[in-house]
Amino acid sequence: MQKVPGSSPDIPRMVLEGSPEAVSSQSLDLRRACPKSSRIYPSPGDSILLTKEPVKYGELIVLGYNGSLPNGDKGRRRSRLALFKRPKPNGVKPDVIHHISTPLVSKALSNKGQHSISYTLSRSHSVIVEYTHDCETDMFQIGRSTESMIDFVVTDTTPGANSAIDGQSAQSTISRFACRVICERNPPYTARIYAAGFDASRNIFLGERAAKWRTPDGLMDGLTTNGVLVMHPNGGFSEDSTPGVWREISVCGNVYALRDSRSAQQRGKLVESESNVLQDGSLIDLCGATLLWRTSEGLLRTPTLQQLEALRQEINAARPQCPVGFSTLAFPSLAQRGVVEKKQPWVYVNCGHVHGFHNWGFRKEKGGLERECPMCRRSGPYVPLWLGCEAGLYLDAGRPTHAFCPCGHVCSAKTVQYWAQIPLPHGTHAFHAACPFCGTWLTGQQGFVRLIFQGPLD
């Protein structure tokens, strides 16, 4: 076999068997051998290893569902997915590049059962990058498709409705094979995001109309139709962090400035100072759904469901009252969602005064959509209050003293202040802050309000 110039003498050049004339002499071998010391399975005698807790890389949380899908989390279709170290590594890495001028040879290469990315430059010229097994990484694929190679099935989020249209939208803008996350199997378990996922034939196909180009080092790269956007917050996921800049991630994991619109043919400028490494609090937008990445270390700093339940019980134990009807108010259990209970607190979102439900104060000049607060006479929406149930969206375990406007989801002050400053992608080029629990666009000067409770008179 002919060796690739400049490569290790032990690494032969890969040539398509039976069609050597179809593969250009420009083929490039990118392989790196796996270290022999890497172990995939523990030996039967390694009882200590077998009793260890599985390594958790992190969790992906879909914004807008407040803890679970409307019909419940089932299998791979759920509101959050924990990524654990696999029993056997399934990661892949670039191996060989083929420059193809014959469509039949291109099809043959794509049907070899090996992972590959095909870049169609013209009807008579394609570039195929073959991938080989990487024993040091695990791969997790995300997309709208329900095929078995997709680990996390994600559908379009309807802002404010806390639902998707029967699992899949007829006009979904999320790609069937949207993106893939590659996690290193050894500490520090770095996770990286890449646009596009491999289909049932283990291929990623970028057609003539897809944005693609040759990189300065002679390799290929490209973007998906609607793009995969990523935002890394400055300072991590904490009360001291500030929003980062939204970027687009390429098929090869490079970082680019945003295109003029999501599906524009011209790519943005390469941002060499940034990477595709996910950090605690990174946001991933798939043009229809936005995911939050939480590291296993970051999740240790978030409240548990038990802590949220304790905070709920603490509020209810204080016996807040409606300042007009004098009835005792109580937040429903975290499991009770969507059905308004008789004692549930309501709020005037423009002032923050908390009441029980009543039927007075309608403003006819506002079409009956606004109410006048009997305490301060300010008019505005009047909505029931709901506790935020998705613990992974909280920045701290502080008391639930604030609510997002206009949806009424309640959480800590630091949490509302953080999310109210995050611009989330919407449509082809718009950005708007939204409630992370239901996806409703925030309104008002701040996007949230401090709740004013009336204590018991006795």
Side-chain angles (χ1 to χ4, degrees), residues 33-35 38-40 89 91 93 133-137 185:
C34 294
S38 176
R39 180 188 296 181
I40 298 176
K93 57 185 178 181
H133 176 68
D134 185 0
C135 62
E136 296 183 338
T137 62
R185 293 173 59 86

Side-chain angles (χ1 to χ4, degrees), residues 140-326:
F140 302 89
Q141 300 208 131
I142 305 159
R144 177 170 47 87
S145 173
T146 57
E147 296 184 63
S148 60
M149 75 290 307
I150 295 297
D151 299 284
F152 193 14
V153 179
V154 178
T155 52
D156 296 70
T157 302
T158 305
N162 193 29
S163 66
I165 302 175
D166 194 27
Q168 291 195 15
S169 171
Q171 298 180 345
S172 176
T173 51
I174 300 176
S175 172
R176 293 185 302 132
F177 311 99
C179 67
R180 60 197 191 276
V181 175
I182 304 293
C183 300
E184 295 181 1
R185 293 173 59 86
N186 297 314
Y189 307 113
T190 303
R192 293 179 171 85
I193 179 78
Y194 299 81
F198 295 98
D199 61 17
S201 301
R202 300 184 178 183
N203 296 322
I204 294 174
F205 180 78
L206 297 180
E208 287 187 61
R209 296 184 178 182
K212 54 192 172 302
W213 58 91
R214 194 184 306 276
T215 61
D217 52 5
L219 306 179
M220 293 297 298
D221 203 354
L223 305 174
T224 54
T225 301
N226 289 329
V228 175
L229 308 188
V230 172
M231 190 274 283
H232 305 302
N234 299 315
F237 194 65
S238 68
E239 62 270 20
D240 299 323
S241 64
T242 58
V245 179
W246 282 98
R247 304 294 192 190
E248 182 164 7
I249 301 297
S250 71
V251 171
C252 294
N254 293 310
V255 182
Y256 292 86
L258 300 186
R259 292 178 270 183
D260 291 336
S261 65
R262 291 294 287 255
S263 58
Q265 292 291 310
Q266 183 63 38
R267 72 177 189 271
K269 184 179 179 181
L270 176 66
V271 184
E272 298 185 66
S273 60
E274 299 181 23
S275 75
N276 64 335
V277 174
L278 295 176
Q279 64 186 57
D280 193 35
S282 292
L283 290 170
I284 306 167
D285 187 80
L286 305 180
C287 194
T290 304
L291 283 61
L292 171 69
W293 170 256
R294 297 302 312 273
T295 63
S296 55
E297 295 81 6
L299 288 170
L300 295 176
R301 298 189 294 269
T302 63
T304 63
L305 286 177
Q306 291 76 12
Q307 288 175 308
L308 294 181
E309 174 62 19
L311 291 171
R312 183 189 75 88
Q313 294 181 9
E314 180 182 340
I315 294 177
N316 291 346
R319 297 171 56 205
Q321 289 189 340
C322 174
V324 177
F326 302 111

Side-chain angles (χ1 to χ4, degrees), residues 344-455:
Q344 190 156 340
W346 288 61
V347 66
Y348 290 91
V349 298
N350 282 352
C351 62
H353 285 110
V354 178
H355 291 251
F357 178 74
H358 54 73
N359 283 312
W360 63 77
F362 287 99
R363 297 297 297 269
K364 294 182 181 180
E365 64 271 21
K366 300 292 184 179
L369 299 177
E370 292 190 357
R371 302 278 197 95
E372 183 180 86
C373 174
M375 301 297 291
C376 65
R377 299 300 182 183
R378 291 187 64 181
S379 298
Y382 177 63
V383 299
L385 292 175
W386 304 93
L387 285 172
C389 300
E390 178 51 77
L393 302 177
Y394 280 75
L395 271 77
D396 64 349
R399 295 179 66 248
T401 56
H402 289 66
F404 287 105
C405 301
C407 59
H409 279 102
V410 181
C411 55
S412 67
K414 292 179 180 179
T415 300
V416 294
Q417 290 166 2
Y418 176 81
W419 285 106
Q421 65 177 341
I422 301 294
L424 298 177
H426 174 74
T428 58
H429 55 267
F431 292 83
H432 204 289
C435 171
F437 298 107
C438 67
T440 300
W441 288 8
L442 301 185
T443 59
Q445 185 175 359
Q446 294 181 307
F448 59 88
V449 64
R450 183 177 68 85
L451 299 177
I452 304 173
F453 287 94
Q454 172 73 46

Side-chain angles (χ1 to χ4, degrees), residues 19-40:
S19 303
E21 72 285 353
V23 182
S24 165
S25 61
Q26 299 178 25
S27 294
L28 179 62
D29 197 325
L30 305 175
R31 285 179 292 182
R32 295 292 183 270
C34 294
K36 296 181 180 179
S37 61
S38 176
R39 180 188 296 181
I40 298 176

